[in-house]
């Protein structure tokens, strides 16, 4: 079987030029900057020190600026948290199987982590079970993780249920992790949102969503390849329920579906914003690199804003 990691690396160089890859590499490195170190001691501020390292409370007590000194941690643990339930066997917006996009995204993120000397682990599963592969290093290990994702998401698998994987992390995994979730497009329920909030309090969390396919093709679309016809149903692989083609091309049905999709998306974005979790979406393998870069940049900016907003100012009651 051809190497999945080699395929990921090939796509990276096809869809990006050297400058883009350099920026992506640098953006990954910046995610841990200032948060990957263990506190050592306080010392007097000297010109050239990062403003973000000033301890404002200690400065106020001491009367002159003090900065925190840190001891670098040599290696970090990155956890790829991947939905491999039945939902990920469905088509994405690009028409590709969602699991193929998940493998590509996990490969890109794992490859970046490995280049920076970080260990990479995998937690994947569905609504009934989770499987954990501890962090390790090396391309052979990363290949094993990608094959695990590729082999696990199928139409015969139980339905997706990312809450089970979130609960697994909170129950069994110790130590601070950089967690990158790759999951189906879903709206978190109350339990899932609570788990996400707890996870965000303990770890660095980034979230990449694989976009759903559209409703069945409209009346002006090209015939489905190999069928010579447009007569196809949209089927929810999670529930097995389908929408007859005659309804899917009805203008009122399509308008109502579009409105419901927009409202659902608004609610999803509101949840991630409220939880302080950077989330980005990908439609297919061609925009995975762009989405990963945007996700890393969004996480870094949000984390820095959260840190600086809590310093030196007054808090509303």
């Amino acid at each position: 079987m051809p190497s999945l990691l080699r395929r990921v690396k090939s796509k990276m160089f096809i869809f990006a030029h050297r400058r883009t890859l350099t920026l992506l590499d640098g953006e990954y490195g910046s995610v841990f900057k200032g948060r990957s170190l263990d506190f050592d001691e306080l010392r007097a501020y000297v010109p050239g020190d990062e403003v973000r390292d000033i301890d404002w409370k200690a400065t106020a007590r001491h009367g002159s600026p003090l900065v925190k000194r840190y001891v670098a941690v040599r290696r970090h643990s990155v956890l790829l948290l991947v939905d491999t339930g039945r939902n990920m066997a469905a088509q994405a917006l690009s028409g590709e199987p969602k699991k193929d996009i998940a493998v590509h995204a996990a490969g890109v993120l794992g490859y970046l982590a490995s280049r920076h000397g970080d260990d990479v682990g995998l937690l994947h599963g569905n609504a009934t079970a989770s499987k954990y592969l501890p962090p390790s290093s090396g391309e052979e290990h990363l290949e094993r993780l990608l094959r695990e994702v590729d082999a696990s998401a199928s139409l015969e698998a139980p339905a997706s249920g990312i809450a089970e994987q979130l609960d697994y992390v909170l129950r069994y995994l110790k130590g601070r992790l950089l967690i990158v979730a790759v999951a189906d497009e879903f709206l978190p329920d109350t339990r899932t949102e609570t788990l996400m909030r707890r996870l965000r309090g303990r770890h660095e969390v980034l979230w990449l969503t694989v976009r759903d396919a559209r409703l069945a093709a409209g009346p002006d679309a090209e015939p489905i390849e190999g069928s010579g016809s447009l007569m196809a149903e949209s089927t929810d692989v999670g529930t097995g329920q389908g929408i007859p083609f005659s309804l899917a091309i009805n203008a009122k049905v399509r308008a109502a579906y579009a409105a419901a999709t927009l409202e659902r998306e608004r609610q999803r974005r509101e949840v991630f914003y409220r939880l302080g979790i950077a989330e980005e979406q990908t439609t297919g393998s061609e925009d995975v690199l762009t989405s990963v870069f945007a996700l890393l940049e969004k996480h870094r900016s949000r984390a820095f804003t959260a840190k600086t907003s809590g310093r030196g100012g007054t808090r509303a009651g």
Side-chain angles (χ1 to χ4, degrees):
M1 180 179 179
S3 167
L4 294 175
L5 180 58
R6 189 176 299 121
R7 187 187 307 170
V8 168
K9 290 162 69 174
S10 296
K11 285 184 178 181
M12 287 179 70
F13 287 101
I14 290 173
F15 296 140
H17 48 73
R18 185 177 297 276
R19 181 173 180 273
T20 301
L21 292 176
T22 300
L23 288 172
L24 184 63
D25 198 49
E27 196 62 45
Y28 174 87
S30 72
V31 167
F32 266 126
K33 187 176 181 181
R35 299 188 297 279
S36 61
L37 309 170
D38 287 337
F39 175 73
D40 184 25
E41 62 180 0
L42 293 170
R43 65 162 174 78
Y45 173 88
V46 296
D49 283 337
E50 290 277 357
V51 174
R52 70 177 69 183
D53 290 334
I54 295 176
D55 187 319
W56 294 104
K57 290 183 178 180
T59 293
R61 291 193 299 267
H62 188 263
S64 60
L66 296 174
V67 296
K68 296 178 180 179
R69 291 188 62 185
Y70 297 90
V71 177
V73 177
R74 294 179 59 84
R75 188 181 293 272
H76 308 291
S77 292
V78 177
L79 180 68
L80 301 173
L81 195 159
V82 184
D83 175 4
T84 53
R86 185 166 64 241
N87 298 38
M88 293 299 280
Q91 283 189 347
L93 190 57
S94 64
E96 304 165 88
K98 289 184 181 181
K99 77 164 185 176
D100 288 357
I101 301 170
V103 167
H104 186 44
V108 168
L109 290 157
Y111 177 66
L112 288 172
S114 295
R115 280 172 57 89
H116 283 260
D118 294 335
D119 291 335
V120 184
L122 171 68
L123 175 65
H124 74 93
N126 48 58
T128 63
S130 297
K131 184 174 181 180
Y132 174 58
L133 286 76
S136 189
S137 59
E139 292 196 355
E140 184 176 338
H141 171 72
L142 185 54
E143 176 72 24
R144 180 190 173 203
L145 303 188
L146 299 184
R147 288 185 182 277
E148 185 77 22
V149 173
D150 184 62
S152 300
S154 70
L155 291 174
E156 290 72 41
S160 296
I162 198 71
E164 300 311 311
Q165 286 72 63
L166 301 177
D167 185 63
Y168 186 101
V169 176
L170 291 167
R171 285 175 179 270
Y172 303 115
L173 302 189
K174 308 302 181 183
R176 192 165 178 83
L177 301 166
L178 172 62
I179 299 175
V180 185
V182 182
D184 183 47
E185 187 175 341
F186 76 107
L187 181 62
D189 57 19
T190 301
R191 179 189 177 221
T192 305
E193 185 174 342
T194 298
L195 292 169
M196 291 168 69
R197 180 179 293 106
R198 292 176 58 198
L199 198 72
R200 172 68 178 83
R202 298 185 189 181
H203 306 281
E204 301 279 348
V205 182
L206 298 82
W207 203 285
L208 185 65
T209 297
V210 182
R211 291 285 306 279
D212 289 338
R214 294 190 180 94
L215 198 59
D220 298 325
E222 294 295 325
I224 296 170
E225 185 176 353
S227 70
S229 172
L230 286 172
M231 301 300 290
E233 285 191 349
S234 287
T235 303
D236 184 336
V237 300
T239 63
Q241 295 179 336
I243 302 176
F245 181 78
S246 57
L247 285 179
I249 63 171
N250 181 280
K252 290 184 178 180
V253 171
R254 296 184 72 83
Y257 183 88
T261 299
L262 286 174
E263 175 58 20
R264 180 184 173 89
E265 177 60 21
R266 184 194 67 76
Q267 293 178 27
R268 287 183 71 260
R269 289 187 179 276
E270 186 178 272
V271 169
F272 282 101
Y273 181 81
R274 183 168 63 248
L275 295 176
I277 296 176
E279 186 250 3
E280 194 59 52
Q281 300 180 358
T282 180
T283 62
S285 59
E286 291 193 15
D287 73 354
V288 163
L289 280 180
T290 304
S291 299
V292 168
F293 181 84
L295 177 62
L296 292 171
E297 186 176 42
K298 186 181 294 185
H299 176 77
R300 176 177 56 80
S301 300
R302 183 165 297 177
F304 178 72
T305 300
K307 288 184 70 178
T308 56
S309 64
R311 290 175 171 173
T314 57
R315 182 178 300 175

